[in-house]
Amino acid sequence: MRAVFVAAFVAFLISLFGTPIAIRYFTRLKADQPIRADGPQGHLGKKGTPTMGGVVFIFATLIAYTGGHIALTTLPDQQLRPSGPTATAVVLLGLFVFTGLLGFLDDYLKVAKRNSDGLNKRGKLIGQALIGAVFGAIALYVPAEKTGDAVVTTVASPKLSWVHDIDWLNITKVGAVVFFVFVVMSMSNAVNLTDGLDGLATGTSILVIGSYMAIAFWQYRHWCADPEYNANYCYDVRDPLEMALIAGAAVGALVGFLWWNTSPARIFMGDTGSMALGSLIAGLAVATKTVLLLPLMGLLFFIIVVTWIMQIGSYRTTGKRIFRMVPLQHHFELAGWSEVNIVVRFWIIAGIGMAASLGLFAADFLRVMSGSG
């Protein structure tokens, strides 16, 4: 656990003190977020606020991940601890960085064109699909490795998972890669839709990624690859400590970033940050084998996507709108709620989903260990 804390603390410091540098740099470059003309009028006051802040917490996470590995080398009993980058790290950090680069391109085009259009929708979706396909293939096809006396599985599984693999839901490796792409695209766009109010996506991502950090560390402590773990129930995942390390670094970086991103925001994460966070969450869900738990774990993201689909579907089929405006947070702005009220109340919804998910995860373990399963 020490390495996870080291990674989180290093990332927090880099993000906390590095974000003001990014604010000054992007302000000097006039890389401010273009404001939608048809958006809530209160957003006009945000004009001039720099974007692309996701660069900071992506960088902080990568540096902190390295720091966490240095901490690992100082600990005894290296058998179950990664001595270097693993296939899991390649998948999770690869998704994080490359979707971040795709988002950075989108942000750059918005700044260069001085409007909120950026990269067209087709370009975004194609980019997300290609990135998801590459790292999905790595997750499914990089051979399993031997740790101790046990064979550790591939990063992802051809079976769908709830709080562990569901044996009868085998969709084959090809199907699993396609599903992996779907999850990456869905979450990248979900976090992107949730972004838009000061601190909303940042705080929600802290809760979700922090939950995956806890799940991954619990899996490490009850790992099937551990020859000393002889309980009735263990987790057949790959590199759980590595997952906890990456998630902890990301949480630390986001907490430091939130200091400057909360209302009134001094900097926005932009598509650079939101798309990167969405794909990291997707990767963690697949790697921890809790992918069908993701709609509850990311409850707020799920609600915002579903209401957005409802609005678009209703307008295209009947010409009528269900909500004043989507994404959903803007509906409540137009209803007269203050930005801070919306953010805090939406964080509460996110927290409910997080608590319910962790409760289900723990309940499954306790059920089996009590002998009732």
Side-chain angles (χ1 to χ4, degrees):
M1 195 65 179
R2 185 192 308 174
V4 177
F5 281 131
V6 167
F9 186 65
V10 169
F12 169 73
L13 291 179
I14 294 173
S15 189
L16 181 66
F17 294 107
T19 302
I21 298 172
I23 292 171
R24 290 193 294 271
Y25 180 73
F26 289 133
T27 300
R28 191 161 56 244
L29 291 179
K30 297 184 178 180
D32 53 292
Q33 175 72 50
I35 307 299
R36 286 175 55 183
D38 60 344
Q41 293 303 299
H43 286 211
L44 296 177
K46 300 175 185 287
K47 187 175 177 59
T49 305
T51 187
M52 304 184 192
V55 169
V56 178
F57 57 74
I58 292 172
F59 176 77
T61 300
L62 294 175
I63 297 299
Y65 167 76
T66 304
H69 264 278
I70 293 173
L72 282 176
T73 62
T74 67
L75 300 176
D77 185 16
Q78 296 296 315
Q79 184 181 16
L80 298 176
R81 297 181 179 126
S83 58
T86 62
T88 302
V90 170
V91 170
L92 296 181
L93 294 177
L95 286 170
F96 195 44
V97 170
F98 281 94
T99 50
L101 287 172
L102 181 64
F104 183 85
L105 175 61
D106 186 42
D107 287 332
Y108 174 79
L109 291 175
K110 289 177 182 177
V111 170
K113 295 177 181 178
R114 309 310 302 171
N115 62 47
S116 58
D117 291 340
L119 190 64
N120 62 53
K121 292 179 182 178
R122 179 179 296 181
K124 278 187 188 180
L125 293 175
I126 291 173
Q128 292 167 351
L130 288 174
I131 293 167
V134 168
F135 291 103
I138 293 172
L140 267 300
Y141 287 95
V142 167
E145 62 182 17
K146 190 175 179 63
T147 299
D149 296 325
V151 175
V152 180
T153 138
T154 52
V155 177
S157 168
K159 301 172 184 176
L160 295 184
S161 56
W162 169 242
V163 292
H164 48 70
D165 274 344
I166 303 171
D167 289 336
W168 55 271
L169 277 180
N170 191 320
I171 58 175
T172 74
K173 286 190 174 185
V174 173
V177 171
V178 173
F179 185 69
F180 187 96
V181 171
F182 169 75
V183 175
V184 168
M185 294 176 69
S186 298
M187 284 309 304
S188 292
N189 289 299
V191 179
N192 187 244
L193 286 172
T194 305
D195 193 23
L197 297 186
D198 297 350
L200 178 58
T202 307
T204 304
S205 296
I206 289 170
L207 294 173
V208 175
I209 297 174
S211 298
Y212 279 118
M213 177 186 72
I215 286 174
F217 190 75
W218 184 259
Q219 290 176 333
Y220 171 67
R221 295 301 300 270
H222 303 85
W223 193 17
C224 294
D226 186 349
E228 297 182 3
Y229 188 74
N230 299 312
N232 298 325
Y233 190 91
C234 63
Y235 295 96
D236 186 23
V237 295
R238 181 165 177 170
D239 310 314
L241 184 58
E242 189 87 325
M243 292 186 276
L245 189 66
I246 293 169
V251 167
L254 287 169
V255 172
F257 181 75
L258 184 60
W259 183 273
W260 305 101
N261 181 237
T262 193
S263 183
R266 297 277 305 280
I267 189 170
F268 301 136
M269 69 167 67
D271 285 8
T272 305
S274 61
M275 290 173 64
L277 290 172
S279 65
L280 177 60
I281 291 169
L284 286 167
V286 172
T288 57
K289 298 187 177 180
T290 56
V291 70
L292 295 183
L293 194 63
L294 183 55
L296 182 59
M297 181 72 81
L299 179 61
L300 181 64
F301 298 137
F302 181 73
I303 290 172
I304 286 177
V305 169
V306 169
T307 52
W308 182 83
I309 293 171
M310 289 169 58
Q311 179 87 325
I312 300 299
S314 175
Y315 187 74
R316 289 183 177 177
T317 56
T318 68
K320 296 180 180 179
R321 293 182 173 88
I322 302 172
F323 306 99
R324 290 179 172 91
M325 187 177 184
V326 289
L328 188 61
Q329 59 268 33
H330 300 320
H331 166 82
F332 289 104
E333 280 190 286
L334 296 178
W337 290 23
S338 72
E339 182 169 1
V340 172
N341 275 343
I342 297 169
V343 170
V344 172
R345 288 168 181 171
F346 277 31
W347 281 351
I348 292 171
I349 293 171
I352 291 170
M354 174 202 74
S357 299
L358 291 177
L360 288 171
F361 181 83
D364 177 76
F365 181 83
L366 293 174
R367 174 186 61 82
V368 175
M369 294 303 290
S370 68
S372 62

